[in-house]
Amino acid sequence: MDVAVMIENYEAFRGEVRLSKEDVIRDVFRQNKERISIKKEATAVKNLTRIIDSTLRLANSKGFHAMTLRDLCGDSGMSMGGLYAYIRNKDDLIHLIQSHGFIITRRTLLHYTDEVQDVRGRLFAAIKAHLYLSELMRAWFYFSYMEAKSLPAEEKRDAVAIELEIEEIFLRLIEDGIEAKVYCSRNARLVASMIKALLQDWYLKRRKYRDQNVAVDDYAAFVRDVIESYLLGER
């Protein structure tokens, strides 16, 4: 994803982001080379994809703490020796999973907002990008939220830092709108926090919206309308 573009809808987004998944896993490999004994990049990327996909599938079906590395071998089709070439234990596994999600979340939001000129369009693009990504990668978003309290200390600090970084993206977009006098003078940080809460509700309570026949495109427009009704109100 080298050139920023406007997001039309979830289906268009899904096709593009799937093409970028290999690039993200490649970045995960390059950032974790000191932890991984396999040096051939193509092989490492293929196996890291299997490890990450299997971990998320197992974590969301039986729970990460109940999952064993032997379970992971069975699901991924890798031998225990093959798995140890990438991780030594479950703490290493968490690090890989979190690295993968953090990289793609940051990259996606910046990709879809950096070159959008219209202030309101830029904020809506960020809302859609986050929602669409959480729809496509719900297993990771749910895992990251549910496991946050039990992460190792270093991973917990990293998780808090990335959450703040993502919130800062929304904060800057809101502040840009206030500075341009497109939005009213509001508590931008509080609004950014509320956006994050609304975005989290989508992937944490997915069944509720499915039962109401609410599609992700509809929910994105709803979040935009709710936030803008406040930001565009009487000055």
Side-chain angles (χ1 to χ4, degrees):
M1 297 192 301
D2 296 322
V3 180
V5 295
M6 293 293 291
I7 313 174
E8 294 181 9
N9 52 47
Y10 174 64
E11 286 305 314
F13 173 88
R14 182 170 63 175
E16 180 175 339
V17 170
R18 277 182 174 169
L19 295 175
S20 72
K21 182 177 180 180
E22 184 176 323
D23 291 336
V24 172
I25 301 294
R26 187 174 292 109
D27 282 352
V28 171
F29 168 68
R30 291 173 180 173
Q31 290 184 11
N32 292 277
K33 277 188 173 182
E34 76 286 352
R35 298 170 181 253
I36 297 171
S37 62
I38 303 298
K39 302 308 176 186
K40 187 176 180 180
E41 188 171 277
T43 300
V45 168
K46 182 178 72 172
N47 287 332
L48 283 172
T49 301
R50 293 165 64 188
I51 291 168
I52 290 171
D53 288 348
S54 288
T55 299
L56 292 174
R57 186 162 48 246
L58 290 167
N60 286 289
S61 64
K62 65 187 301 181
F64 182 76
H65 292 289
M67 181 195 83
T68 65
L69 294 185
R70 193 163 297 281
D71 292 330
L72 182 55
C73 288
D75 190 88
S76 67
M78 298 180 67
S79 67
M80 190 66 74
L83 189 62
Y84 282 143
Y86 297 88
I87 58 170
R88 296 163 298 182
N89 49 47
K90 289 175 73 174
D91 284 354
D92 280 356
L93 184 57
I94 286 178
H95 180 83
L96 287 178
I97 298 294
Q98 295 296 81
S99 294
H100 165 249
F102 295 161
I103 289 170
I104 199 169
T105 301
R106 181 191 301 113
R107 180 181 296 180
T108 300
L109 261 66
L110 293 177
H111 170 69
Y112 284 107
T113 59
D114 273 356
E115 295 184 15
V116 179
Q117 299 302 313
D118 175 67
V119 168
R120 292 172 64 185
R122 197 154 58 242
L123 181 59
F124 189 33
I127 289 169
K128 287 193 291 185
H130 196 290
L131 277 172
Y132 292 170
L133 187 63
S134 71
E135 179 74 357
L136 188 62
M137 294 178 50
R138 183 176 178 270
W140 179 81
F141 279 85
Y142 190 82
F143 170 89
S144 185
Y145 182 88
M146 298 304 292
E147 297 297 330
K149 293 181 179 179
S150 56
L151 290 175
E154 181 180 353
E155 302 302 330
K156 187 178 294 186
R157 287 194 298 271
D158 289 345
V160 170
I162 195 65
E163 280 298 308
L164 291 175
E165 182 180 337
I166 299 304
E167 193 169 304
E168 285 288 328
I169 293 174
F170 287 104
L171 174 62
R172 289 194 298 272
L173 296 176
I174 295 164
E175 289 177 336
D176 287 346
I178 293 172
E179 184 177 347
K181 301 191 183 303
V182 173
Y183 298 142
C184 303
S185 179
R186 302 294 196 193
N187 183 334
R189 184 165 294 281
L190 180 59
V191 178
S193 296
M194 286 307 301
I195 291 174
K196 278 290 289 162
L198 287 168
L199 299 179
Q200 284 180 333
D201 206 57
W202 176 257
Y203 59 83
L204 293 177
K205 301 177 182 178
R206 187 68 186 84
R207 181 184 297 276
K208 174 176 66 175
Y209 297 108
R210 185 170 59 245
D211 290 346
Q212 297 177 49
N213 294 315
V214 177
V216 66
D217 289 304
D218 300 326
Y219 191 74
F222 169 77
V223 174
R224 174 201 59 195
D225 291 346
V226 167
I227 296 301
E228 285 204 331
S229 69
Y230 180 68
L231 290 174
L232 296 171
E234 293 184 6
R235 290 168 172 78

